[in-house]
Amino acid sequence: MVYKLNVEQRDKAGKSISKKLRKNGMIPAVVYGHGDEAIKLAVNEKEFNKLLEKIKGHSPIIDLQINDRPAIKAIIKTIQREPISKKFLSIDFQLIHAKEKITVDVPVVLKGTAIGIKQGGILDFPLRSIPIRCTVDNIPEHIEVDITNLKMGHSIHVADIKIVGIEFMLSPDVPIVSILTPKKVEVTAAVTEEIKEPEVITEKKKEEVAEEGESSGKKKPSAESETKK
């Protein structure tokens, strides 16, 4: 699908010019390419927001319409935003030629419901996009990964994706999606034993014990008799 964006060329640059553009609802931008002179642009903020909504989940080629000139093909390379308000600060477009190989991030789209999920597994999807290198005519809008037969404890790696004309820029053993085995939570009943603390016999307690012995007719043994065998 072709996405179009009308932009204006500007001659001046600088902080004051960029500030003025943003105040008037425009975003400072530039389009550059290998061996091509960079072109300074101004992009309507509302139109750019609409474009971002349209291309969400895709890796599109954009036709930049600069004033009355023929449209040029480009990709969005970087978008800078204000950290707190998230308002656009600037946009960098990269000009692309038909036979030139470029590196671009392509979104990953999962297809199907994994067997492992039906068995109680947990979906782990860490790689939402994959950097690839290819010519413009080979750039896919997204990379589809079928997880229907993915079992619990198994993963799909970059090496498992086969697309002609595309070079993946990640290690082949990097996992794209996995089905994790949930940890077993063993609930054991807590057995509490009431342990009675041994009674400490104090000097006062000894006297009470001795008195009880005398009242029952038993004589308290002398210190000498306690040591004799």
Side-chain angles (χ1 to χ4, degrees):
M1 183 175 179
V2 178
Y3 299 91
K4 293 183 179 180
L5 181 65
N6 292 319
V7 297
E8 298 176 12
Q9 185 172 356
R10 58 188 173 94
D11 298 323
K12 297 181 180 180
K15 291 184 178 179
S16 59
I17 298 297
S18 296
K19 187 176 181 180
K20 186 177 180 180
L21 284 172
R22 288 190 285 266
K23 187 176 181 181
N24 292 327
M26 305 294 285
I27 309 168
V30 63
V31 58
Y32 59 88
H34 297 294
D36 298 293
E37 184 179 354
I39 304 173
K40 295 182 286 293
L41 305 172
V43 181
N44 184 281
E45 184 177 2
K46 291 182 179 179
E47 293 301 314
F48 188 66
N49 267 319
K50 291 179 182 178
L51 176 69
L52 291 183
E53 285 298 318
K54 290 179 181 178
I55 67 176
K56 190 177 295 182
H58 300 277
S59 178
I61 305 301
I62 300 168
D63 281 351
L64 290 179
Q65 185 69 54
I66 306 175
N67 300 342
D68 296 328
R69 296 162 58 178
I72 59 174
K73 294 190 180 298
I75 59 171
I76 300 172
K77 197 64 178 178
T78 58
I79 299 173
Q80 292 187 347
R81 295 176 182 263
E82 206 281 329
I84 298 175
S85 67
K86 301 300 180 183
K87 288 185 68 66
F88 297 109
L89 294 177
S90 65
I91 310 165
D92 284 357
F93 296 97
Q94 182 180 340
L95 180 66
I96 52 178
H97 301 286
K99 299 302 179 182
E100 179 188 6
K101 284 189 175 182
I102 62 171
T103 300
V104 60
D105 284 346
V106 178
V108 176
V109 175
L110 302 184
K111 177 185 177 183
T113 302
I115 294 175
I117 293 178
K118 295 178 181 179
Q119 295 171 338
I122 300 171
L123 179 70
D124 183 30
F125 185 21
L127 201 61
R128 302 295 176 121
S129 64
I130 303 176
I132 66 169
R133 183 173 176 78
C134 62
T135 57
V136 60
D137 55 329
N138 281 329
I139 299 176
E141 288 203 350
H142 60 261
I143 295 173
E144 188 174 271
V145 178
D146 191 347
I147 63 171
T148 305
N149 297 318
L150 190 58
K151 298 178 182 178
M152 191 184 302
H154 290 230
S155 303
I156 295 176
H157 300 82
V158 171
D160 299 318
I161 307 301
K162 309 295 182 184
I163 303 177
V164 178
I166 288 178
E167 177 186 355
F168 290 100
M169 305 305 290
L170 293 177
S171 174
D173 59 355
V174 172
I176 299 173
V177 59
S178 305
I179 305 298
L180 305 179
T181 303
K183 293 181 179 179
K184 293 182 179 179
V185 181
E186 296 181 358
V187 181
T188 56
V191 180
T192 56
E193 295 182 1
E194 187 178 344
I195 303 176
K196 188 176 182 181
E197 187 176 348
E199 184 179 11
V200 179
I201 301 179
T202 61
E203 289 297 324
K204 185 176 180 181
K205 194 70 178 179
K206 289 180 182 179
E207 294 177 2
E208 293 175 354
V209 171
E211 290 176 357
E212 289 178 1
E214 291 178 357
S215 61
S216 61
K218 296 180 181 179
K219 292 184 179 181
K220 178 183 177 181
S222 62
E224 185 179 359
S225 63
E226 290 177 1
T227 57
K228 288 185 180 180
K229 294 182 181 179

